[in-house]
Amino acid sequence: MTVVGGGYDAIVVGGGHNGLTCAAYLARAGLGVLVLERRERVGGIADTVEIAPVVRSPAIAATVGRLRASVARDLDLRAHGLSLVAPAVRVFAPGHDGSAVVLWADVDRTAEDLRRRGLTADADAWSEFDRLVRSLGGFMADLGEQTPPDIANPGVADALGGLLLGRKYRGLGRLDARTILRVLAMPVADFVAESLVSDALRAAVAWRGVRNASLGPWSAGSTLNLLQDAAGNDGGAAGETVFARGGPGALAEALASAARSFGAVIRTEAEVVAVRSNPDGVATGVVLASGEEIAARAVVSAVDPKQTLLRFVDPIALGPTLRWRAGNIRQPGVVATVALALSRLPSFSAADGDERLLRGRILVGAEGVDALERAFDAAKYGRISERPVVEATIPSLVDPSLVDGAEPGTHVLHAHVQWTPRELRDGDWEACREPLADSLIAQLETVAPGIGGLVTARRVLTPLDLERDYGLSSGHPWHAEPALESFFLWRPMLGYARYRMPLRGLYLAGSGAHPGGGITGGPGQNAAREIVKDLRSRI
């Protein structure tokens, strides 16, 4: 084995967006940082791939609108090439009967559109509902920026954090303060029904409470996910829709550039197979698949918590109880993605030729809340839904660079297909890969007749692919299920929500840590703050 002498202050395992965010903040604080990424390029779920010659598409995540504004500002991502575009339409949800729900970035415009479509009661309620979601989402953002308290040995910092959070809670006002305590455990179906009348509109909003989760709209705690999705961004009730020019991989490139500008070193095709520790239970570095050992004062894992503890850490150092607890972290992956290269822009019946409506998120198969629940039913029994819910985007409409050099008129459609369980009761994913794409196209045909004839290339990523190629255990994009038992103090496990893992000097900075998944950079930013604090205290 080759041991690199001297070592680093911190080694970050995993070059996804959270790992890069954490590395950039650590390097910005003056620490010596090394990022090790198993794949040939950084990015993780923020990846752009080629699906046909000169035709590129998002691989997993399509939009980046939940990125924390403070991350973009602190790391000056614009100077590192990040360019964002936000279309005027957030959501276009066409129905099979030619009707549609359209949610605009402008609240008043959404209300006007609802009124024009005859949804008068919803038009009247929309502004107040949007205000409520923003208010509650704002509190969730404040909660997400805090390090959860030390429940074993609370100190002055925990007390000050509690006082600050209490002030934020009082700032909600009496009504909203009562509301957030009441609705967090509520099924999102009930939450939207308190304000909205149209079933199609309810479904278009409720979808965000179950996206990427093994939950249905009638599952307890799905309102929590909706409010988490609204935390720290300008989404409101409609949700955020923002694209990175060049695809989500451009965000990863900007984060990597920022990290390097502060002095971080990034190595790709460098697979970590173990975290080294000494007899005192302190992490001392990592071992690569090549046999190379690299020393560090801190090891930061941006991969999921189950892999971190069960694959990287010596079982003796972890102990049987913690291994049992780590093994029970829930990661029921239920997401697949399909990218289609199209010879021309498809025609959606409900859009009436208005191209603007296709620039945001296109929600298909969500005609009502019960349609969402029925699609979820199949996944509960290890089956793929015959009528999956699809959130599609056509990013080439707002970012033509994705099809530079292709035949004129070429477009890319990226589809997030849910619910598609990693563990199938009958059959396997290798056999189901192409049938899933066929099922997706059939679903799209119901609202965009003829789209199947426009497909010139397609690329399918099953939950198995997400696990095997992107290192996501069970194919879960968020590293751990976004549910009540994995929220705040309980993410990823009670007693380890402060980014510090059981080995001293081992930290968690990925989506499995508080405040959870999505392209926010939040877990990486929060973890970096605690790591810097710990390393400086050891000097």
Side-chain angles (χ1 to χ4, degrees), residues 346-390:
S347 176
F348 284 76
S349 303
D352 292 326
D354 190 346
E355 181 186 291
R356 295 173 304 166
L357 302 186
L358 308 182
R359 291 173 175 261
R361 292 177 285 118
I362 304 168
L363 189 58
V364 181
E367 292 83 7
V369 168
D370 287 344
L372 293 177
E373 189 70 27
R374 282 192 293 270
F376 170 54
D377 283 341
K380 289 188 290 188
Y381 304 106
R383 297 192 299 270
I384 302 170
S385 175
E386 294 180 1
R387 296 189 64 185
V389 177
V390 176

Side-chain angles (χ1 to χ4, degrees), residues 139-162:
F139 178 77
M140 298 302 293
D142 293 331
L143 187 68
E145 290 173 359
Q146 284 205 330
T147 298
D150 186 341
I151 57 174
N153 298 291
V156 174
D158 297 312
L160 292 175

Side-chain angles (χ1 to χ4, degrees), residues 440-461:
L440 161 73
I441 293 171
Q443 183 76 303
L444 292 174
E445 284 275 359
T446 64
V447 293
I451 191 173
L454 305 179
V455 178
T456 59
R458 65 189 194 184
R459 184 178 192 267
V460 182
L461 283 176

